[in-house]
Amino acid sequence: MTAGGEQVTVSGAGSATPAAKSAVTSGGAVDAVPGRRPWWVWAIPFTVLFALLCVRNRFLFTTRLYEQGDAGANSILIEQAKHFTLLVGNYSRERFNHPGPAYMYVQAFGDYLFRNALHVVPTAWNAHMLAVFALNSMFVALAVGVVYGWTRSLRGAAACFAVFTGFAIAYPPIVNSDWMPYMYVVAYMVFVVAAGSVAAGRAQDAWIFALTGWFLIHGHACFLFFVPVLTLAVLAAVLWPHRHTLLASAGSFFREQRRAWIPVAVISAVFALPIVVNLTLHWPGDFGKYISYGGSGRAGGHSLRGVVQYALWFWWPHHHAWLAPVIGYPLALAAAFWLSRGSLRRFLLALLAVNVVSSLAFMFYAAVGIDKLTAYYIGYFYWSAPLVTVLVIMLAVLEAVRPRPGTQGSRFVLSLSTGVAVLAAAAAFAVFAVIPGTRTSTNDIDESLPQVVATLAARAHGKTIVLHIDGPAWVETAGFLVQAERSGVKACLHDPWYKFLMTSQFICTPAQAASGQAYWFYTPRGLPPHTPVILRFSGMAVAPGSP
């Protein structure tokens, strides 16, 4: 059966099921009939985006790169993940670790796959970056799959890919950076899109909602607030129509919708495991520090005006930022009501509703959970708000050009609208392929680290290298320690204050501090006058020290 020139698959023998009977709406729109999405919906967006990132960053396949700074601190954790001993996430400047290690295990797997198994990259950090590319490409592919589930059309999938690529053009690091504030962005965007899908009634996307939600929780403590809030909003939307028969509906769901809830249960069990184990072994772990920070004077205390201005920056970082949501959101709402029909309208309205909940939650978080409202990197993930708004407008406009089935020129108009969507995706992809920002940053790279480690190890004559550092030298120290571990050189940091950055693995024991070979890492400003310097790297001065 065709609707407006598109094929609609109807299950059943001889007659359509109730779900399939509603597949053709009054305007020929195809409803989101439950069923598997074709392979290309997932494979093409993932493949083209991952391939582009690899081509634009092809230096990763040949150049030996050694990380320091935040990348070095993360690599310390990734090395632990390779041995399946890591139970916590990346460090926070508030001197705790975020809840879970999921991002680190992804990069550890990338290290094993791309460097140890396939031998396509020469160093560990290069493999970590390929894993980041693959993860973000997967998230974009999941969003495309969600949208296709509602539009059942190539143009819907292409429009979604175009919107995500457009935001990557504006902010390239959201797909090609391993800095954690950027790594939450696409995950949260897809989380919001999946939330709208589940709230609109598509339980098949619950596993995407769960997967992205758990990645976010692992990545940053703030998502211990955002994920439950949006989950409760989605549950309220799903359960409200069944409020009078809640127990019977729940029983029917668990009996008949195993493909929806079993993946959610499995994903939740896997992601919860390291958090539960860590809490069991180190109660209350870092959770006590989250609560302590939230109740301290360091967080919150901002005016409503300051919070609103902070949130508006993510819509449009200019003087008249308020125009973006004031114009964009009503336009998206009007487009969803007047230009879309049937199940797609339900999905678009659910997306906008989830966007409102997300925005309110973000402003609450900014008011009570952020210390400095000039630190925009904390809220990069809220770029989801303008993305969802643009996505709703595009999908509604594409839906509006669909004529009634059987009218003259219907196939031509459908082909034209599909062509427009595909061209938009291709144009966005082409622009993203040539902009300089597509090349990942190597600012946290120091190619001299192996030589520095070898030089100090030779001078230590087999003793443990004991480092004393001038505060800002932690950047180079993180790179030195991770490279020392990879080289089999024993090294540790004398000051336990840096445990949150370097982990207890690299904090010296009293025996190591007493018997090791001591060195000082100084920044240019911190170097005392007349101090003998052994070598310099990355602007750092290395001086001998006493145990």
Side-chain angles (χ1 to χ4, degrees):
M1 175 171 69
T2 61
E6 294 195 0
Q7 187 70 27
V8 180
T9 302
V10 180
S11 61
S15 62
T17 64
K21 288 179 180 178
S22 64
V24 182
T25 63
S26 58
V30 182
D31 201 348
V33 182
R36 293 185 178 181
R37 283 155 279 205
W39 64 270
W40 59 265
V41 173
W42 317 100
I44 292 179
F46 173 85
T47 302
V48 297
L49 182 55
F50 180 65
L52 171 61
L53 291 170
C54 288
V55 170
R56 290 289 279 118
N57 294 278
R58 54 190 176 276
F59 66 91
L60 294 174
F61 296 96
T62 55
T63 308
R64 303 185 71 86
L65 302 171
Y66 304 95
E67 68 277 28
Q68 57 184 6
D70 284 344
N74 286 346
S75 288
I76 291 174
L77 301 178
I78 293 167
E79 289 295 318
Q80 295 176 8
K82 289 177 66 177
H83 297 91
F84 296 98
T85 59
L86 183 63
L87 297 175
V88 296
N90 54 290
Y91 83 91
S92 165
R93 60 186 172 84
E94 297 298 333
R95 302 191 64 220
F96 54 70
N97 287 88
H98 291 293
Y103 285 98
M104 305 306 156
Y105 274 100
V106 168
Q107 292 176 80
F109 177 75
D111 192 356
Y112 168 77
L113 176 64
F114 297 115
R115 185 167 67 100
N116 300 127
L118 299 178
H119 306 289
V120 295
V121 293
T123 53
W125 184 78
N126 305 40
H128 300 169
M129 289 309 306
L130 294 185
V132 170
F133 297 166
L135 181 65
N136 286 324
S137 298
M138 180 199 74
F139 284 143
V140 172
L142 291 178
V144 172
V146 170
V147 170
Y148 179 88
W150 289 94
T151 63
R152 291 291 172 179
S153 66
L154 173 61
R155 69 181 162 279
C160 181
F161 188 72
V163 171
F164 271 83
T165 306
F167 273 76
I169 293 171
Y171 311 107
I174 68 176
V175 293
N176 72 356
S177 174
D178 64 340
W179 193 41
M180 296 308 298
Y182 286 125
M183 291 186 67
Y184 311 136
V185 176
V186 178
Y188 190 75
M189 289 173 171
V190 182
F191 177 70
V192 172
V193 171
S197 180
V198 177
R202 190 173 180 84
Q204 293 89 337
D205 291 331
W207 71 272
I208 300 175
F209 181 59
L211 180 67
T212 51
W214 275 108
F215 260 107
L216 293 167
I217 287 174
H218 274 232
H220 198 285
C222 76
F223 294 111
L224 291 168
F225 167 69
F226 282 94
V227 172
V229 166
L230 266 67
T231 300
L232 288 175
V234 169
L235 286 175
V238 171
L239 297 178
W240 180 255
H242 307 284
R243 61 191 180 278
H244 299 303
T245 58
L246 190 58
L247 292 178
S249 298
S252 175
F253 173 79
F254 283 105
R255 286 192 306 271
E256 301 174 7
Q257 297 290 334
R258 293 183 179 89
R259 290 185 177 180
W261 67 263
I262 288 180
V264 171
V266 172
I267 290 168
S268 298
V270 170
F271 278 79
L273 179 62
I275 297 176
V276 172
V277 171
N278 186 55
L279 287 175
T280 302
L281 295 176
H282 310 105
W283 179 263
D286 289 302
F287 279 74
K289 297 178 183 178
Y290 306 154
I291 297 172
S292 175
Y293 170 75
S296 70
R298 303 192 303 275
H302 308 297
S303 67
L304 178 61
R305 178 185 178 89
V307 168
V308 171
Q309 289 178 337
Y310 183 75
L312 287 174
W313 185 91
F314 300 95
W315 284 83
W316 186 251
H318 296 285
H319 182 64
H320 297 292
W322 59 272
L323 287 172
V326 167
I327 295 175
Y329 203 87
L331 181 61
L333 192 62
F337 264 115
W338 295 332
L339 301 182
S340 63
R341 297 178 288 268
S343 62
L344 182 61
R345 175 189 291 171
R346 187 169 70 249
F347 171 55
L348 299 183
L349 293 177
L351 271 181
L352 292 175
V354 170
N355 210 16
V356 169
V357 174
S358 174
S359 296
L360 293 175
F362 182 78
M363 287 190 287
F364 177 81
Y365 170 60
V368 304
I370 296 178
D371 51 359
K372 299 177 181 178
L373 292 184
T374 54
Y376 292 107
Y377 72 90
I378 297 175
Y380 280 168
F381 64 91
Y382 186 58
W383 281 324
S384 62
L387 176 134
V388 167
T389 305
V390 172
L391 179 62
V392 168
I393 293 171
M394 280 198 66
L395 293 177
V397 169
L398 287 173
E399 175 72 6
V401 300
R402 301 180 68 170
R404 294 182 180 275
T407 58
Q408 186 177 8
S410 62
R411 290 182 180 275
F412 171 76
V413 174
L414 283 173
S415 298
L416 179 62
S417 64
T418 300
V420 169
V422 172
L423 285 175
F429 187 75
V431 172
F432 184 60
V434 299
I435 61 172
T438 311
R439 188 181 190 275
T440 191
S441 171
T442 54
N443 289 339
D444 272 344
I445 295 299
D446 184 353
E447 298 178 6
S448 68
L449 281 171
Q451 184 60 41
V452 174
V453 170
T455 300
L456 296 188
R459 295 176 62 94
H461 302 294
K463 294 182 180 180
T464 299
I465 296 173
V466 177
L467 298 179
H468 302 259
I469 68 171
D470 177 27
W474 75 266
V475 172
E476 292 76 14
T477 303
F480 180 92
L481 291 174
V482 74
Q483 185 57 35
E485 181 186 17
R486 291 170 182 163
S487 305
V489 174
K490 294 181 180 179
C492 63
L493 190 59
H494 185 269
D495 190 347
W497 188 88
Y498 293 96
K499 178 182 176 181
F500 76 100
L501 266 169
M502 313 300 178
T503 76
S504 58
Q505 175 186 354
F506 290 108
I507 300 302
C508 298
T509 65
Q512 288 174 321
S515 62
Q517 178 62 53
Y519 297 100
W520 271 93
F521 281 8
Y522 289 109
T523 59
R525 292 184 178 181
L527 181 66
H530 311 299
T531 300
V533 175
I534 298 171
L535 58 85
R536 297 179 185 272
F537 72 103
S538 294
M540 305 298 301
V542 181
S546 57

